[in-house]
Amino acid sequence: RAPSAPPSGPPVPMGRAEAMIAQAAPPEAPELCDVPCTVDAARTKCTRSFHGVKVAFAFDTPLTPQQNVMQRVVKAILKRETALLESPTGTGKTQALLSSCLAAQRHLMLQGQKVGKIIYATRTIGQVKQLPGELRRNPYRALAAPLASRAHYCTNDAVKAREGDNARLSQACRKMAKAVEKFRGGGGDVIWDDQNPHHERQQTVGCPHYRALSSPQTATTLHATRPGCCTSSSQDIEDLAGVVNMDDLRRLARGDEPGHEGACAYHSATALAKRSHIIFCPYQYLMNPSIRQAMGIENYLEDAIAIVDEAHNVESVARDGGSFDKSLFDLAQLEDYCTRRQSVRGNSVSALGDVVRRLRTGLLAAQEVWCGPARDDDDDEDDSTKYPCDISMAKRQRFRVSPDERDVVPGFDWGAADRRPTTVGFFEKFQLSPDLLNRAAGEASVVAEEARNADGDEFIIGDQLEGLAGCLLLAYQQRTHYAICCRAWPNQSCERPKRFRDSLHSQDLQRLSGTEPAWGFELCVWLLHPGVVLDDLAKKVRCLVLASGTLAPLDQTERELGIEFSRRMATKALEAKHVVCTKRQVLVRAVGSAAFESRPPVQLMGNAANLKKDEYRLALGAAVVKLVSRCPGGALVFLPSYKVLSSLRWTWRDDRLHLRYGAERQGREVNTILRRLERAKGTVLFEGKGDGGDATHEETIADYKRAVARRGSALLFCVYRGKCSEGISYNDDACRLVITVGIPYAPAFDHLVMRKRAYNDAKIKGGLALGMAPGACDRGVMSGQAWYATQAFRALNQALGRSIRHLHDYGALVLLDARFADDPAARRGVAAWLRGAIEAASLRDCARDCAAHFAPNGAAAFVARDYRERMGLRALKPANVVKPEAKPDVKPDVKPDVKPAVPPAPTVGELKARLRARGIPEQKISACLEKRELVALLAEAEAPSPPAASMAPPAP
């Protein structure tokens, strides 16, 4: 293509980063254009054709699961379908998804058909950072951009140090951007110079990274990362290859030295996304309607190809996208904003203000029911009257219930199950009509857009109002799929009031309540059916593909995802098999008991009651010590929650407790569990929440991998569903052992969990309360108990999949729970590729098996062999082999009544002796564990050497 013409006319207002970059581009800069991505022949190892689409692949032979995934994805894109794909961890799912969706997109663009961007969504920011690296290994030279929040992209260290949380950082970022726009547009005293954004006249205005967006160097650099559209090869940046990741943009933003900062990484990513073939983002950006609108992804949904990787959590994310929790303080703050805005601009937010005011009034009514009517000190009312708050406090004190536990206010609980009144009662009680909700949603959209462009701190309030109004309108339209309640909790020693105090000014608190109330209250509006959000997304995109390693049971998961998703899913869900040998590459054991020192063995039942006992914690620690000391490389231990992790950490370092249970001293130190772990693995790390003084999960993972690379071993304690447990690749020595503790069931008496279980059971029974016809029901949906167990085992299977990351990887998996050791029925929820390999064993036998598995002639020797040979597959025919000429059929000169003698088959000992006589190394002989392997090795050793002429390459 010809280079774009230079910009002309007045300066473009700096409201959007792409406008700045477009104006700053020099005349010779290549155009950012929407053309099909190219295919790099040097990276293409093979091609496969699926439904008329040629798919280039980066490896010699795609594995069977990869071919299955590519076939399903291409079909879904061409025929505008949805797809549900389960491919186990370590089968190359990511490369298959990237190759197939890019090939189909390129095929449609070359044919002139309308096709949108590829939106590749995954679970965490850590996985978003990994995806550009995967794309660089792919044959398709596509233009890609990763999207993330300002907090993840910010390189202004002064602002990050000054502003604590993410909301304040975003707030400061917007303020400084507005300051630059004001001066650049002629609204200040500074004469702005776009050619030199860091000139001393303007270096004090706003953020230096935002100022650099108008520099010609910025446009040149960002255009140079697009080799698919470049007109000059000198513009290419080979190390980026058209694919920028978050670290690249942050590196470009930091610049070479202070005073020469580069362009803002966040705005650069937003600009690049507009002209990219593929966008990487966390899947909250795709599932949550308000986030989708704020990040601009809503503009890219038409005819888009939506790929959701690691989709085992997509149900909960979709439900969260249609839900909200608002406390009494939150509603007071929103009401105060609406009142101030209405006094300035008249009735611009009259409906929105009415909705917020009625919500707060209804929550105050719940407060009166819970605590009783407000009384003055002079009231003579009998103090013996018991209100729900008195009963709750007595129960909390008696049973030592945590202050963070919530109680549902009687009479303020609505839903379609458990004999609760339907959610229509909520809208009647709070006086919320559909007309009022529609008008409020329209006003909230206008308020949010104006707040994003305002100079002050209003954008946070605007986003909250938009999300609140949108969720309430959706809850009314889909009221049979919602549960709504008001909850109360004591403010003493609770985490939530701290956040409320920070969110309101002290004068607001004084005006609202005079003093901090003894009880906190919140309104919970929970979506129970993820299909409500997913159906809306599926209608907007060309195709929607959900892929993960743990989606079983697939048929019931399909029904859980919504009517539109199920209707467009023309092909049955894919359940691919693993490509590793579970008998030789993976050691899977279930251990049911362990003992600490000389005490009797303790049953390892990882339930809530046992996790509070010191005997169980010490026995569990002794089991972990024994196992990790037998295994090389890195080891991961998964625990049910951060609370359990913290309690184990303190128990294992308590000297007095260890002495009481029989631990010995080594010099002046007590031989505690934690000291034993440090002696066995060197570095012992614990996953933190990332708040307070804890390290972030990125820092924890980096420290862990650094320790493995430096010392050859390390130990990391993780939490199921945590950011260190799902989607992170611990390849090869980074993880040779995975230990799982218990089964990560959600709290059984959590209010949301109870309502979700009751909702699923009610759908099976049917009824008018769920909007069904009389006598109708949905027997294909998961029951409440099945859903509850499925969520737990998906988290367990994700943890077990951290060890085997590719075809030649190997490791050991140990389930420390008596339910897996004693009851084979409990193993049904384990991934199908592992289920048959689980063997119950004592702790002593398990440690011995681990030592044998990691011996030089164990799993390492097995994976060193050729893949097709070790899996028992037929060898591939070599190419360019000339068949020998057929010899005439000459019958042997043997009498018809005499049969030729058949020599007896050599024994295993004879085969080994002949191999040793041939000079074959003993290690290679020991690696052959079956007789047929010895026969093949002997045939190879005794085969005559080919003549020299045959070594020449064949003629072209």
Side-chain angles (χ1 to χ4, degrees):
R1 292 174 60 103
S4 57
S8 58
V12 180
M14 213 156 107
R16 285 184 175 270
E18 52 265 28
M20 298 169 60
I21 295 173
Q23 179 179 355
E28 65 274 9
E31 181 181 347
L32 296 178
C33 50
D34 291 326
V35 297
C37 60
T38 59
V39 183
D40 189 351
R43 296 179 185 171
T44 303
K45 303 299 182 183
C46 69
T47 57
R48 294 290 186 272
S49 181
F50 302 103
H51 302 283
V53 177
K54 287 187 177 180
V55 181
F57 204 62
F59 299 95
D60 294 331
T61 305
L63 303 174
T64 301
Q66 291 176 318
Q67 297 190 55
N68 294 337
V69 168
M70 290 190 288
Q71 187 269 337
R72 291 294 182 90
V73 172
V74 170
K75 179 176 181 292
I77 294 173
L78 295 182
K79 299 189 176 183
R80 297 178 176 270
E81 298 175 354
T82 58
L84 193 63
L85 314 176
E86 182 184 68
S87 183
T89 300
T91 54
K93 176 176 77 274
T94 302
Q95 280 293 334
L97 289 171
L98 290 173
S99 290
S100 54
C101 65
L102 286 168
Q105 183 195 50
R106 183 174 187 270
H107 174 82
L108 292 172
M109 294 179 76
L110 289 174
Q111 288 189 340
Q113 298 188 34
K114 187 177 180 181
V115 60
K117 298 181 184 299
I118 300 170
I119 304 175
Y120 196 113
T122 186
R123 182 171 180 260
T124 64
I125 289 293
Q127 293 165 275
V128 173
K129 291 182 178 180
Q130 294 176 2
L131 286 171
E134 293 289 333
L135 183 57
R136 288 178 184 174
R137 298 164 52 197
N138 200 275
Y140 292 95
R141 290 173 65 85
L143 315 181
L147 293 183
S149 66
R150 286 175 168 84
H152 289 99
Y153 267 127
C154 183
T155 52
N156 192 326
D157 296 330
V159 175
K160 292 174 69 176
R162 185 174 67 248
E163 308 296 343
D165 56 9
N166 295 348
R168 291 180 178 177
L169 190 146
S170 299
Q171 181 177 317
C173 175
R174 292 171 186 264
K175 282 185 176 181
M176 290 189 291
K178 286 293 180 182
V180 175
E181 291 181 12
K182 177 182 177 181
F183 279 89
R184 185 173 182 271
D189 299 331
V190 177
I191 300 175
W192 200 266
D193 182 9
D194 279 340
Q195 304 296 321
N196 186 9
H198 302 303
H199 192 276
E200 59 183 4
R201 294 195 307 268
Q202 56 204 39
Q203 63 182 358
T204 59
V205 179
C207 176
H209 304 292
Y210 195 86
R211 294 198 306 267
L213 287 170
S214 61
S215 170
Q217 181 63 31
T218 296
T220 303
T221 302
L222 291 180
H223 282 250
T225 65
R226 321 305 254 178
C229 302
C230 286
T231 56
S232 171
S233 60
S234 62
Q235 296 284 348
D236 291 0
I237 297 181
E238 293 299 333
D239 60 334
L240 298 183
V243 184
V244 291
N245 61 26
M246 295 177 64
D247 293 333
D248 293 329
L249 293 175
R250 287 170 58 87
R251 175 174 53 82
L252 293 174
R254 290 192 179 278
D256 300 329
E257 58 186 11
H260 295 79
E261 291 85 356
C264 172
Y266 171 81
H267 288 288
S268 297
T270 305
L272 294 178
K274 189 174 182 180
R275 302 291 179 88
S276 293
H277 295 111
I278 183 169
I279 296 173
F280 299 121
C281 64
Y283 53 53
Q284 288 89 341
Y285 288 22
L286 189 62
M287 298 296 167
N288 192 309
S290 58
I291 298 178
R292 196 167 65 211
Q293 185 71 34
M295 295 299 297
I297 294 180
E298 190 75 36
N299 303 326
Y300 306 139
L301 291 184
E302 185 180 0
D303 277 312
I305 301 169
I307 308 291
V308 181
D309 200 358
E310 303 294 337
H312 50 276
N313 287 325
V314 74
E315 299 170 38
S316 61
V317 174
R319 292 200 310 271
D320 292 343
S323 308
F324 71 82
D325 298 336
K326 291 295 179 186
S327 73
L328 191 58
F329 293 108
D330 293 333
L331 293 175
Q333 189 178 22
L334 296 179
E335 182 186 2
D336 184 62
Y337 172 79
C338 291
T339 302
R340 287 188 284 108
R341 181 183 174 91
Q342 195 165 355
S343 64
V344 175
R345 302 196 180 186
N347 295 326
S348 61
V349 290
S350 58
L352 185 60
D354 285 346
V355 168
V356 176
R357 191 175 304 108
R358 293 177 186 185
L359 291 178
R360 181 168 175 264
T361 303
L363 207 50
L364 288 172
Q367 180 182 10
E368 184 172 348
V369 170
W370 185 257
C371 301
R375 291 177 293 172
D376 296 331
D377 295 336
D378 299 333
D379 284 350
D380 297 331
E381 188 176 346
D382 185 10
D383 292 337
S384 62
T385 305
K386 294 291 185 182
Y387 292 101
C389 65
D390 302 317
I391 301 172
S392 173
M393 185 60 70
K395 184 182 69 173
R396 289 169 180 270
Q397 293 173 353
R398 180 181 178 184
F399 297 105
R400 298 181 180 179
V401 179
S402 169
D404 291 324
E405 295 291 333
R406 268 62 169 155
D407 291 318
V408 177
V409 179
F412 288 80
D413 189 9
W414 300 272
D418 276 354
R419 300 180 181 177
R420 291 191 298 273
T422 62
T423 51
V424 177
F426 162 76
F427 294 99
E428 292 176 351
K429 192 162 191 169
F430 283 66
Q431 301 178 6
L432 300 174
S433 64
D435 177 63
L436 179 65
L437 293 175
N438 273 296
R439 288 190 290 116
E443 292 176 1
S445 299
V446 176
V447 169
E449 186 63 30
E450 292 179 358
R452 294 187 189 109
N453 298 324
D455 295 335
D457 307 338
E458 301 177 352
F459 76 96
I460 300 176
I461 301 293
D463 290 343
Q464 289 182 2
L465 286 171
E466 185 179 30
L468 176 72
C471 276
L472 283 174
L473 181 60
L474 184 64
Y476 184 85
Q477 295 169 345
Q478 303 287 340
R479 48 191 175 275
T480 58
H481 304 301
Y482 270 83
I484 304 174
C485 65
C486 296
R487 301 196 298 177
W489 72 95
N491 273 338
Q492 294 84 358
S493 304
C494 183
E495 295 179 1
R496 292 294 289 274
K498 296 178 182 178
R499 185 171 68 86
F500 295 153
R501 285 196 293 269
D502 293 340
S503 64
L504 287 171
H505 299 294
S506 58
Q507 59 268 25
D508 293 334
L509 267 176
Q510 185 71 23
R511 176 173 51 81
L512 291 172
S513 58
T515 59
E516 183 177 327
W519 289 84
F521 294 88
E522 66 180 354
L523 172 65
C524 304
V525 178
W526 292 326
L527 175 62
L528 303 177
H529 183 35
V532 172
V533 171
L534 285 173
D535 280 350
D536 178 64
L537 177 63
K539 292 175 183 177
K540 295 180 178 179
V541 298
R542 181 186 184 94
C543 81
L544 177 60
V545 177
L546 304 184
S548 178
T550 51
L551 286 174
L554 292 174
D555 293 338
Q556 294 172 322
T557 300
E558 175 191 338
R559 300 297 294 272
E560 185 81 5
L561 294 175
I563 297 174
E564 180 68 17
F565 186 91
S566 183
R567 183 187 66 81
R568 291 179 58 185
M569 188 172 161
T571 309
K572 186 178 179 181
L574 171 67
E575 190 171 9
K577 297 181 180 180
H578 215 300
V579 294
V580 300
C581 178
T582 54
K583 293 183 179 180
R584 303 290 298 280
Q585 287 180 253
V586 190
L587 178 75
V588 191
R589 294 291 182 267
V591 178
S593 63
F596 179 72
E597 300 298 347
S598 58
R599 287 182 167 268
V602 175
Q603 187 183 36
L604 296 178
M605 181 77 73
N607 52 29
N610 285 339
L611 286 168
K612 297 177 182 179
K613 298 178 181 179
D614 292 334
E615 299 93 327
Y616 173 85
R617 296 175 182 176
L618 292 174
L620 178 65
V624 173
V625 170
K626 193 161 190 174
L627 292 171
V628 299
S629 61
R630 299 296 195 280
C631 300
L636 302 178
V637 181
F638 289 93
L639 301 168
S641 66
Y642 288 104
K643 184 177 180 180
V644 172
L645 186 148
S646 178
S647 64
L648 289 176
R649 185 177 183 179
W650 285 105
T651 299
W652 291 347
R653 72 194 329 177
D654 190 340
D655 292 349
R656 294 182 179 180
L657 182 64
H658 283 74
L659 290 173
R660 192 193 318 156
Y661 281 87
E664 298 178 354
R665 288 184 178 272
Q666 288 187 348
R668 294 184 177 181
E669 293 183 343
V670 180
N671 193 19
T672 61
I673 296 292
L674 195 57
R675 291 191 178 100
R676 299 180 197 182
L677 293 173
E678 290 173 349
R679 285 197 300 270
K681 304 301 287 184
T683 301
V684 179
L685 299 171
F686 295 85
E687 178 184 356
K689 294 183 179 180
D691 55 356
D694 292 336
T696 64
H697 73 280
E698 296 175 345
E699 295 171 345
T700 302
I701 294 172
D703 291 342
Y704 169 76
K705 292 185 176 180
R706 197 179 302 116
V708 173
R710 182 178 64 250
R711 191 179 184 273
S713 65
L715 176 61
L716 174 61
F717 287 89
C718 309
V719 174
Y720 293 110
R721 304 183 184 92
K723 294 185 177 179
C724 292
S725 64
E726 298 184 5
I728 304 299
S729 293
Y730 299 95
N731 294 346
D732 303 320
D733 284 341
C735 180
R736 292 300 184 196
L737 173 67
V738 170
I739 299 175
T740 61
V741 177
I743 303 174
Y745 288 108
F749 295 102
D750 179 82
H751 296 137
L752 177 56
V753 172
M754 289 193 296
R755 281 153 181 75
K756 172 60 179 172
R757 294 176 66 175
Y759 168 80
N760 279 31
D761 290 336
K763 288 187 73 175
I764 296 176
K765 296 177 183 178
L768 295 175
L770 290 170
M772 298 181 179
C777 61
D778 189 357
R779 299 191 183 279
V781 76
M782 278 189 279
S783 67
Q785 178 59 31
W787 171 85
Y788 184 63
T790 298
Q791 300 303 310
F793 277 98
R794 281 181 182 170
L796 176 71
N797 291 328
Q798 278 292 312
L800 293 173
R802 295 311 96 199
S803 179
I804 307 301
R805 303 302 300 173
H806 56 83
L807 186 64
H808 307 291
D809 209 349
Y810 62 92
L813 312 176
V814 181
L815 296 90
L816 290 182
D817 197 282
R819 286 167 285 192
F820 297 112
D822 302 337
D823 184 12
R827 306 172 189 172
R828 294 174 184 171
V830 179
W833 67 279
L834 284 174
R835 194 179 307 141
I838 300 177
E839 295 183 15
S842 65
L843 180 60
R844 181 178 180 180
D845 292 342
C846 180
R848 182 198 62 201
D849 294 344
C850 286
H853 185 70
F854 292 108
N857 60 346
F862 178 77
V863 299
R865 296 161 53 191
D866 180 74
Y867 166 69
R868 305 189 68 84
E869 176 189 351
R870 69 176 188 244
M871 297 300 291
L873 303 176
R874 182 182 300 175
L876 295 175
K877 293 181 179 180
N880 301 326
V881 175
V882 181
K883 294 183 178 180
E885 296 181 1
K887 297 181 179 180
D889 188 10
V890 179
K891 297 182 179 181
D893 188 12
V894 181
K895 295 182 180 180
D897 58 340
V898 179
K899 295 182 179 180
V902 179
T907 63
V908 173
E910 294 173 347
L911 289 171
K912 291 184 177 180
R914 292 169 62 181
L915 287 169
R916 293 188 185 99
R918 287 277 179 178
I920 304 299
E922 188 65 31
Q923 183 177 0
K924 196 170 184 180
I925 297 174
S926 301
C928 300
L929 302 180
E930 297 181 11
K931 185 176 179 179
R932 61 184 181 84
E933 298 173 358
L934 293 170
V935 172
L937 184 60
L938 181 62
E940 181 183 349
E942 293 180 345
S945 301
S950 63
M951 299 298 292

